Amino acid sequence: MVRRPVAWIVAVVLFVEALGVVGLNWLLGTVVDNQQMSLAGLDPDVMSTSSKVSGFVFGLYFVLCGVVALLVALRNRPPAGLGRVLLISAAVVHALLGAFAWGLMGRPEFVFMMLVLALIVLLLMTYDRQGESGSGPEPADEAPDGTKGGGSPLTPPQAPSTP
């Protein structure tokens, strides 16, 4: 199937992207420190340090999202709870980064961000709750009232009769 390879690809892409974010912010922090640049009178040392720290925080966020994708690939089960929220937030972040990339950097960067967004959404959508992954509830052979067949989920239960 396509689920596990997509999860592996998403995990690798997020790990590489985490390294890229950390490296880029470290480079920007070093340039600001070496040039003693200031923006609106801010201290260059504070700008350099905040750039490096924010790069590590954002990189850790991508690593955490990559770990969730890696666990999905290893377990062949859909992400649940906090993992699902992390992957959804990563998809939103990539959509926003894609919008910024279109305006600031150009089409190739935009296409890359949209490709990563599509992979994350594909990872989230290929694991349906009652698919082959076995994580969803199994259809019941017996209804709660003891009859066979289970019936339709839209069929109301029989009303109790009183004498």
Coordinates of all heavy atoms in Angstrom, one line a residue, residues 102-149:
W102 N 6.0 31.9 -1.7 CA 5.6 32.4 -2.9 C 5.9 33.9 -3.1 O 6.4 34.4 -4.1 CB 4.1 32.2 -3.1 CG 3.5 32.8 -4.4 CD1 3.0 34.0 -4.6 CD2 3.5 32.1 -5.6 NE1 2.6 34.1 -5.9 CE2 2.9 33.0 -6.6 CE3 3.9 30.8 -6.1 CZ2 2.7 32.6 -7.9 CZ3 3.7 30.5 -7.4 CH2 3.1 31.4 -8.3
G103 N 5.7 34.7 -2.0 CA 5.9 36.1 -2.1 C 7.3 36.5 -1.9 O 7.8 37.5 -2.5
L104 N 8.1 35.8 -1.1 CA 9.4 36.2 -0.7 C 10.5 35.5 -1.5 O 11.6 36.1 -1.8 CB 9.7 36.0 0.8 CG 8.8 36.8 1.7 CD1 9.1 36.5 3.1 CD2 9.0 38.3 1.5
M105 N 10.4 34.2 -1.8 CA 11.5 33.5 -2.4 C 11.2 33.1 -3.9 O 12.1 33.1 -4.7 CB 11.8 32.3 -1.6 CG 12.3 32.7 -0.2 SD 12.8 31.3 0.8 CE 11.2 30.8 1.5
G106 N 10.0 32.6 -4.2 CA 9.8 32.2 -5.6 C 9.0 30.9 -5.7 O 8.6 30.3 -4.7
R107 N 8.9 30.5 -6.9 CA 8.1 29.3 -7.2 C 8.7 28.0 -6.7 O 7.9 27.1 -6.2 CB 7.7 29.3 -8.7 CG 6.8 30.3 -9.1 CD 6.4 30.2 -10.6 NE 5.5 31.3 -10.9 CZ 5.7 32.1 -11.9 NH1 6.7 31.9 -12.7 NH2 4.9 33.1 -12.2
P108 N 10.0 27.7 -6.9 CA 10.5 26.4 -6.5 C 10.3 26.2 -5.0 O 10.0 25.0 -4.6 CB 12.0 26.5 -6.8 CG 12.1 27.5 -7.9 CD 11.0 28.5 -7.6
E109 N 10.5 27.2 -4.2 CA 10.3 27.0 -2.7 C 8.9 26.8 -2.4 O 8.5 26.0 -1.5 CB 10.9 28.2 -2.0 CG 12.4 28.3 -2.1 CD 12.9 28.9 -3.4 OE1 12.1 29.4 -4.2 OE2 14.1 29.0 -3.6
F110 N 8.0 27.5 -3.1 CA 6.5 27.3 -2.9 C 6.1 25.9 -3.3 O 5.4 25.3 -2.5 CB 5.8 28.3 -3.8 CG 4.3 28.1 -3.8 CD1 3.5 28.4 -2.8 CD2 3.7 27.5 -5.0 CE1 2.1 28.2 -2.8 CE2 2.3 27.3 -5.0 CZ 1.6 27.6 -3.9
V111 N 6.6 25.4 -4.4 CA 6.3 24.0 -4.8 C 6.8 23.0 -3.8 O 6.1 22.1 -3.5 CB 6.9 23.8 -6.2 CG1 6.8 22.3 -6.6 CG2 6.2 24.6 -7.3
F112 N 8.0 23.2 -3.3 CA 8.5 22.3 -2.2 C 7.6 22.3 -1.0 O 7.2 21.3 -0.5 CB 9.9 22.7 -1.8 CG 10.4 21.9 -0.7 CD1 10.8 20.6 -0.8 CD2 10.5 22.5 0.6 CE1 11.3 19.9 0.2 CE2 11.0 21.7 1.7 CZ 11.4 20.4 1.5
M113 N 7.2 23.5 -0.5 CA 6.3 23.6 0.6 C 5.0 22.9 0.4 O 4.4 22.2 1.2 CB 6.1 25.0 1.1 CG 7.3 25.6 1.7 SD 7.7 24.8 3.3 CE 9.4 25.2 3.4
M114 N 4.4 23.1 -0.8 CA 3.1 22.5 -1.1 C 3.3 21.0 -1.3 O 2.3 20.2 -1.0 CB 2.6 23.1 -2.4 CG 2.2 24.5 -2.3 SD 0.9 24.8 -1.0 CE 1.8 25.5 0.3
L115 N 4.4 20.5 -1.8 CA 4.7 19.1 -1.8 C 4.7 18.5 -0.4 O 4.1 17.4 -0.2 CB 6.0 18.8 -2.6 CG 6.4 17.3 -2.8 CD1 5.3 16.7 -3.7 CD2 7.7 17.2 -3.4
V116 N 5.4 19.1 0.5 CA 5.5 18.6 1.9 C 4.1 18.7 2.5 O 3.7 17.7 3.2 CB 6.5 19.4 2.7 CG1 6.5 18.9 4.1 CG2 7.9 19.3 2.1
L117 N 3.3 19.7 2.2 CA 2.0 19.8 2.7 C 1.1 18.7 2.2 O 0.4 18.1 2.9 CB 1.3 21.2 2.3 CG -0.1 21.4 2.5 CD1 -0.5 21.3 4.0 CD2 -0.6 22.6 1.9
A118 N 1.2 18.4 0.9 CA 0.5 17.3 0.3 C 0.8 16.0 0.9 O 0.0 15.1 1.2 CB 0.7 17.3 -1.2
L119 N 2.1 15.8 1.2 CA 2.5 14.5 1.8 C 2.0 14.3 3.2 O 1.5 13.3 3.6 CB 4.1 14.4 1.9 CG 4.8 14.1 0.5 CD1 6.3 14.3 0.7 CD2 4.4 12.7 0.1
I120 N 2.0 15.4 4.0 CA 1.4 15.3 5.3 C -0.1 15.1 5.3 O -0.6 14.3 6.1 CB 1.8 16.6 6.1 CG1 3.3 16.7 6.4 CG2 1.0 16.6 7.5 CD1 3.7 18.0 7.0
V121 N -0.8 15.8 4.4 CA -2.2 15.6 4.3 C -2.5 14.1 3.8 O -3.4 13.5 4.3 CB -2.8 16.6 3.4 CG1 -4.3 16.3 3.0 CG2 -2.8 18.0 4.0
L122 N -1.7 13.6 2.9 CA -1.9 12.3 2.4 C -1.6 11.3 3.6 O -2.4 10.3 3.7 CB -0.9 12.0 1.3 CG -1.0 10.6 0.6 CD1 -2.4 10.5 0.0 CD2 0.1 10.5 -0.5
L123 N -0.6 11.5 4.4 CA -0.4 10.7 5.6 C -1.6 10.7 6.5 O -2.0 9.6 7.0 CB 0.9 11.2 6.3 CG 1.1 10.5 7.7 CD1 1.5 9.0 7.5 CD2 2.2 11.2 8.4
L124 N -2.2 11.9 6.7 CA -3.3 11.9 7.6 C -4.6 11.3 7.0 O -5.4 10.7 7.7 CB -3.6 13.4 8.0 CG -2.6 14.1 8.9 CD1 -2.8 15.6 8.9 CD2 -2.7 13.5 10.3
M125 N -4.7 11.4 5.7 CA -6.0 10.9 5.1 C -5.9 9.4 4.7 O -7.0 8.8 4.5 CB -6.2 11.7 3.8 CG -6.5 13.2 4.1 SD -7.8 13.5 5.2 CE -9.2 13.0 4.3
T126 N -4.8 8.8 4.5 CA -4.7 7.4 4.1 C -5.0 6.5 5.3 O -5.4 5.3 5.0 CB -3.4 7.0 3.5 OG1 -2.3 7.4 4.4 CG2 -3.1 7.7 2.2
Y127 N -4.9 6.9 6.5 CA -5.2 6.1 7.6 C -6.7 6.4 8.1 O -6.9 7.2 8.9 CB -4.3 6.3 8.8 CG -2.9 5.7 8.6 CD1 -1.9 6.4 8.1 CD2 -2.8 4.3 8.9 CE1 -0.7 5.7 7.9 CE2 -1.6 3.7 8.7 CZ -0.5 4.4 8.2 OH 0.7 3.8 8.0
D128 N -7.6 5.7 7.5 CA -9.0 5.9 7.9 C -9.2 5.0 9.1 O -8.5 4.1 9.4 CB -10.0 5.6 6.8 CG -9.8 4.2 6.2 OD1 -8.8 3.6 6.5 OD2 -10.7 3.7 5.5
R129 N -10.2 5.4 9.9 CA -10.5 4.7 11.2 C -10.9 3.3 11.0 O -10.7 2.5 11.9 CB -11.6 5.5 11.9 CG -11.1 6.8 12.4 CD -10.2 6.6 13.6 NE -9.7 7.9 14.0 CZ -8.6 8.0 14.8 NH1 -8.0 6.9 15.2 NH2 -8.2 9.1 15.1
Q130 N -11.6 2.9 9.9 CA -12.0 1.5 9.8 C -11.4 0.8 8.6 O -11.9 -0.1 8.1 CB -13.5 1.5 9.7 CG -14.2 2.0 10.9 CD -15.7 1.8 10.8 OE1 -16.2 1.1 10.0 NE2 -16.4 2.5 11.7
G131 N -10.2 1.3 8.3 CA -9.5 0.7 7.1 C -8.8 -0.6 7.5 O -9.1 -1.3 8.5
E132 N -7.8 -1.0 6.7 CA -7.1 -2.2 6.9 C -6.1 -2.2 8.1 O -5.5 -3.2 8.4 CB -6.3 -2.6 5.7 CG -7.2 -2.7 4.4 CD -6.3 -2.8 3.2 OE1 -5.2 -3.3 3.3 OE2 -6.8 -2.5 2.1
S133 N -5.9 -1.0 8.7 CA -4.9 -0.9 9.8 C -5.4 -1.7 11.0 O -4.5 -1.9 11.9 CB -4.7 0.5 10.1 OG -5.9 1.1 10.6
G134 N -6.6 -2.0 11.2 CA -7.1 -2.8 12.3 C -7.3 -1.9 13.6 O -7.5 -2.5 14.6
S135 N -7.2 -0.6 13.5 CA -7.3 0.2 14.6 C -8.8 0.6 14.9 O -9.1 1.0 16.0 CB -6.5 1.5 14.5 OG -7.0 2.3 13.4
G136 N -9.6 0.5 13.9 CA -11.0 0.9 14.1 C -11.8 -0.2 14.7 O -11.4 -1.4 14.9
P137 N -13.0 0.1 15.1 CA -13.9 -0.9 15.7 C -14.3 -1.9 14.7 O -14.6 -1.6 13.6 CB -15.1 -0.1 16.3 CG -15.1 1.2 15.5 CD -13.7 1.4 15.1
E138 N -14.4 -3.1 15.1 CA -14.8 -4.2 14.2 C -16.3 -4.3 14.2 O -17.0 -4.0 15.2 CB -14.3 -5.6 14.8 CG -12.8 -5.7 14.7 CD -12.2 -5.6 13.3 OE1 -12.8 -6.2 12.4 OE2 -11.1 -5.0 13.1
P139 N -16.9 -4.7 13.1 CA -18.4 -4.8 13.0 C -18.8 -5.9 14.0 O -18.2 -7.0 14.0 CB -18.7 -5.1 11.6 CG -17.4 -5.5 10.9 CD -16.3 -4.9 11.8
A140 N -19.9 -5.6 14.7 CA -20.4 -6.6 15.7 C -21.2 -7.7 15.0 O -21.9 -7.5 14.1 CB -21.3 -5.9 16.7
D141 N -20.9 -8.9 15.5 CA -21.7 -10.1 15.0 C -23.0 -10.2 15.7 O -24.0 -10.8 15.3 CB -20.9 -11.4 15.2 CG -19.8 -11.5 14.2 OD1 -19.8 -10.8 13.2 OD2 -18.8 -12.2 14.5
E142 N -23.1 -9.5 16.9 CA -24.2 -9.7 17.7 C -24.6 -8.3 18.2 O -23.8 -7.5 18.7 CB -24.0 -10.6 18.9 CG -25.2 -10.9 19.7 CD -24.8 -12.0 20.8 OE1 -24.2 -13.0 20.4 OE2 -25.2 -11.7 21.9
A143 N -25.9 -7.9 18.1 CA -26.4 -6.7 18.6 C -26.5 -6.6 20.1 O -26.5 -7.7 20.7 CB -27.8 -6.4 18.0
P144 N -26.6 -5.5 20.7 CA -26.7 -5.4 22.2 C -27.9 -6.1 22.7 O -27.8 -6.6 23.9 CB -26.8 -3.9 22.4 CG -26.2 -3.2 21.2 CD -26.5 -4.2 20.1
D145 N -28.9 -6.3 22.0 CA -30.1 -6.9 22.5 C -30.1 -8.4 22.3 O -31.0 -9.1 22.6 CB -31.4 -6.4 21.9 CG -31.4 -6.5 20.4 OD1 -30.4 -7.0 19.8 OD2 -32.5 -6.2 19.8
G146 N -28.9 -9.0 21.8 CA -28.8 -10.4 21.7 C -29.1 -11.0 20.3 O -28.9 -12.1 20.0
T147 N -29.7 -10.2 19.4 CA -30.0 -10.7 18.1 C -28.8 -10.7 17.2 O -27.8 -10.0 17.4 CB -31.1 -9.8 17.4 OG1 -30.6 -8.5 17.3 CG2 -32.4 -9.7 18.2
K148 N -28.8 -11.6 16.2 CA -27.7 -11.7 15.3 C -27.8 -10.7 14.2 O -28.9 -10.2 13.8 CB -27.7 -13.1 14.6 CG -27.5 -14.2 15.6 CD -26.0 -14.2 16.0 CE -25.7 -15.4 16.9 NZ -24.4 -15.4 17.4
G149 N -26.6 -10.3 13.6 CA -26.6 -9.5 12.5 C -26.2 -8.0 12.8 O -25.7 -7.3 12.0

